[in-house]
Amino acid sequence: MTMDEIFARAKSILVIWTAEVNPENLPIFQDVVQTKAKQASTAFENVEMLVESGRSSSSFDIILFGLVSKRNTHIDIDILNELFRLLRPNGYLIIHIEHTKQSQIIDQFKMCGFSSCNPLDTNSSFLIENKDDDIKKFGSLWLCQKPSFDIGYSVPLRSTTTDSRMGQISSSSSSTTTTTGEKKTWTMEDDDLIDTDELLDENDRKKPDVKKYDCGTTSTGVRKACKNCSCGLAQELEQEEHTAAKQTVKSSCGSCYLGDAFRCAGCPSRGLPPFKPGERVTLPTMSDV
Amino acid sequence: MLLEILFGSQTGTAEDVSERFSCMARSTDVECRVRSLDSIRSIEDLGTYILFIVSTTGDGEEPENMRQFWRIIMKKSLSLIPSILSHIHYGLIGLGDSTYPKFNFVAKKLSKRLEQLGAQAICDKVLADEQHPHGIDGCIDQTFTKIFWKTFGDLIGRELQPRMDQRLPSKYQIQWIDDYEKDSSSSQISINNSKIPPGYTSVPLISNTRVTSLDHWQDVRLLEFDTNLPYKCGDVAVILPQCSLTSVHLLANLLNIENKLHKNFIASNEISSLSMTVLELFRDYLHITRIPSRSFFEKLMWFSNDERERERLVEFLQPENIDDLYTYCHRPRRTSVEVLQDFPHTASCIPFNYVFDFFSLIRPRSFSIASSPKIHQNRVQLLVAIVRYKTIIALYREGLCSNYLCRLQPNEHILMRISSSFNLINDNQPAIMIGPGTGVAPFRGWILERSLNDQLLNMLFFGCRYRTKDAYIENDLLKDTINLIYIPAYSRDQEEKIYVQHKIIEYGHLVWEWIKHKQARIYLAGNAKQVPEQVSDALKDVFIKYGHMTNEQADVYLREMERTQQFQRETWS
């Protein structure tokens, strides 16, 4: 929709102004807006009174924020949330933002739930006639829209009938069918099953004390990396072990050429595959592994 | 009298243990049958003497091949007949890892349920733990094995002396096929024409791009495949990896079978038969680079005739030396092929037909799809973290599937099928997504897809280590056209560690606003170890602080959200 269309269709518009605005400018601004928005009634609110005035939700098609004043008006999350609440679904917020503050403020818009935030071209300058030139030069008008579905207030999640559980998932959602039935998908039939969590008592939920495992030797191996270690701990641990082993006395047992199964802990060849006595093995390059 | 060994296995560990107990049973003339639990169709299928071997996977869940059985045994209506299983005598081995919060939950729950339904335990169950100094096997042998065979023997009126040192008949008989149609050169080229298992499609790779910076230790890839296989966001691609040709040749060499690599054979027994070349067997079918279990060493004893090697094997297998075996093999993650390298004389004595007894099958791996069928037409994209690390062994330790994918070149084909997984609900409700690391994969495609409708609200908590090194999602998702509230946690960019759960608390006011007033759904994807618990705790903190709840109320609220699918999680181990 073009800006003209947006204004033409609007039924109610809210203009937010600040203390620094000369009150005489307000009716002039109203006229300007009214020319474009012939069907609309226009309300005015001072930003300081905004939250207090507690207007009803979803009551405006367009909110014009801080456009009347020469300088830009500060906006924060609380104000934004309130503006969001006041807008009808599909309603628009129009605000002028300094370029340097742009990304931060747009982020805040998104956080509050505004979608499609877009800068406007200067055809809409009728809205910022009052602004100082340097403000106009170093900022842009932005148009932000509130999404169309009705974001209602809380609905209790807990329900006593099984029907409403299905009702939580809207009718347009994908069904939980699987062609292979492999992964666990959750169907009404699960009602047939007992709650398996109830089978467990406090003791079951406790983890075993790893230190109590009898390993039968004095090996410690406390910090152990998991099977698919991808965090680097396995690397770390084994490097530690390798360097420690290398520092022990060089073996003179003569079995270095056999595989690790026959080597001593301190063997300098440890970690290498077996080789022919007297020859040193070179590792295959990584590229063909 | 039949001992049924029923297993629920996700990665093959429980299946291995079943194998081992089956060998023990056969060695002492106990008739036994090994089956996965999904062969149980109804409660009547359960026989009198059962050994249950069950793993716990992911976030306290039962393995896939146990899901059907779970629904049977946990049916409410069974509770009405408390003596329904009173004719059953069972042993129970649970496999788990105590670094996960829901350690062995499946075994614990099954144990309670069997008790509820009147089944009689032959002996105390064992909850084996990966974190035990000697791993799963060590744990089981220490507390369960002897007692089980003793009391089971008492029960059936026999003295049972299972031993692992007597050679058992091999699983398959082998017949070589002289193939006059194929000459050896065409069979070398025909690698891609090998049989395709049912359900899978051969799919070519388009690109394989590293998305973490080169100076980062972790290598994460974005892989793009060309396929019109239908899928939706939240689905996983299930991939059958191959072993490296280097390993294949090394094994063939050790078994003295290099001259037969391209020869076809038929392997058969009473139940099934299969046919392929030796190369295909070692590359596509058997997991030859798996870390061997204890029974691998026990079977090596069946064939060893070299004095030095035999002596070492005997030593390794003695109960008092279990730590040595563990230090040699499991701790440094030594592969089966590497073990055979150290025992070359023994290896050369292994008859070809016994390879099926030594090696288990390659299992497929699942990866969340990171693309959207609407945005990336005819494409499947995956985000894969390559598992590669160093132990005392000179060659790097590598994850089978991740490294298989890492090596792929454009136009090479892989075997893939699509499976449902995450139920990402496509309606108007806002989505709060929590996806640290490669957990972000399903959300990547979904956010891009959802952005086609600029009315939809999206919030993403992403965690990685360094903003400049592994924040790979930012290139894709931080654009003007994408309607997204993006909240990153760079854990190592500052002195104190910052993770997604900290950010959830920091933005708690917003999270609460979305949940309470906008009916947002929460989706969590990531590693099962720490993430689910910490995120749940963070969410509860948010409920307490902004929803003014007590601890108990927050607990109930979160559980209710889970029950109604307002909070969903997909985690992996």
Side-chain angles (χ1 to χ4, degrees), chain A residues 81 84 90 110-116 145-149 151-155 157-159 165 168-170 172-180 182-187 189-194 196-197 199-201 203-208 210 213-217 219 221 224-232 234-235 238-239 241-242 257-262 270-274 283-284 286-289, chain B residues 11 62 64 67 70-71 74-77 79 98-101 103 105 108-109 112-113 116 129-134 142 217-218 244 246 308-309 312 316 323 326-328 331 333-334 341-343 387-396 398 407 417-421 423-430 454-455 457 465 482-485 492 507 510 514 516-519 521 529 556-557 560-561 563-566 573:
Chain A
N81 270 327
F84 189 86
N90 279 329
K110 287 190 182 178
M111 274 209 204
C112 293
F114 284 97
S115 57
S116 32
Q145 192 176 24
K146 173 171 171 169
S148 66
F149 53 92
I151 302 165
Y153 276 75
S154 64
V155 172
L157 290 175
R158 180 192 291 281
S159 56
R165 186 206 312 155
Q168 286 275 331
I169 300 164
S170 81
S172 64
S173 77
S174 57
S175 60
T176 54
T177 52
T178 65
T179 45
T180 59
E182 276 206 26
K183 279 287 174 168
K184 188 176 192 175
T185 54
W186 196 63
T187 66
E189 293 166 18
D190 280 2
D191 261 1
D192 279 357
L193 307 184
I194 61 170
T196 58
D197 282 334
L199 290 167
L200 303 176
D201 59 35
N203 275 329
D204 292 320
R205 290 175 194 276
K206 285 200 203 134
K207 282 207 211 175
V210 204
Y213 287 144
D214 175 18
C215 69
T217 68
S219 88
K224 192 180 164 190
C226 26
K227 275 187 281 209
N228 280 337
C229 177
S230 60
C231 80
Q235 249 170 303
E238 300 301 349
Q239 285 293 30
E241 211 184 276
H242 194 34
Y257 69 98
L258 298 169
D260 278 353
F262 304 93
R270 193 163 181 80
L272 297 174
L283 283 176
M286 294 303 155
S287 57
D288 54 19
V289 171
Chain B
T11 59
E62 67 281 10
E64 268 168 55
R67 297 243 162 94
W70 205 244
R71 298 179 58 73
M74 297 297 176
K75 237 180 160 60
K76 271 187 191 153
S77 49
S79 311
S98 60
T99 52
Y100 289 83
F103 171 67
F105 266 26
K108 288 173 180 168
K109 289 180 180 179
K112 289 274 166 78
R113 184 60 169 165
Q116 262 183 10
D129 186 357
E130 286 280 356
Q131 297 304 317
H132 189 281
H134 308 131
Q142 199 169 65
W217 59 263
Q218 195 184 36
S244 73
T246 311
R308 172 167 41 206
E309 291 179 12
R312 195 66 180 108
F316 269 144
D323 198 58
Y326 209 70
T327 306
Y328 164 66
R331 281 191 69 204
R333 305 272 181 259
R334 198 175 299 270
Q341 248 189 328
D342 281 359
F343 292 89
V387 176
R388 193 162 188 264
Y389 57 95
K390 200 108 174 37
T391 66
I392 54 154
I393 300 177
L395 277 180
Y396 274 89
E398 300 186 334
R407 290 193 302 267
R417 64 179 169 85
I418 309 289
S419 178
S420 286
S421 181
N423 182 20
L424 300 175
I425 299 173
N426 283 313
D427 60 12
N428 288 333
Q429 272 157 253
D454 62 11
Q455 308 289 346
L457 299 183
R465 292 167 196 92
I482 314 284
N483 187 22
L484 172 68
I485 295 175
R492 296 190 194 178
Y507 287 86
L510 188 60
W514 278 38
K516 186 81 177 153
H517 297 140
K518 300 194 191 336
Q519 282 142 356
R521 291 203 174 83
K529 209 162 265 223
V556 168
Y557 195 86
E560 187 64 16
M561 284 187 77
R563 198 181 71 81
T564 54
Q565 291 213 313
Q566 208 81 359
S573 37

Side-chain angles (χ1 to χ4, degrees), chain A residues 76-96:
Chain A
D76 60 34
I77 284 266
D78 291 328
I79 298 177
L80 268 175
N81 270 327
E82 184 63 8
L83 297 180
F84 189 86
R85 183 181 76 77
L86 292 175
L87 272 176
R88 290 214 178 93
N90 279 329
Y92 293 93
L93 166 66
I94 303 178
I95 180 174
H96 193 266

Side-chain angles (χ1 to χ4, degrees), chain B residues 362-377:
Chain B
I362 290 178
R363 303 178 90 86
R365 309 300 205 265
S366 299
F367 294 89
S368 287
I369 298 181
S371 48
S372 152
K374 298 198 172 101
I375 311 264
H376 309 101
Q377 284 166 2

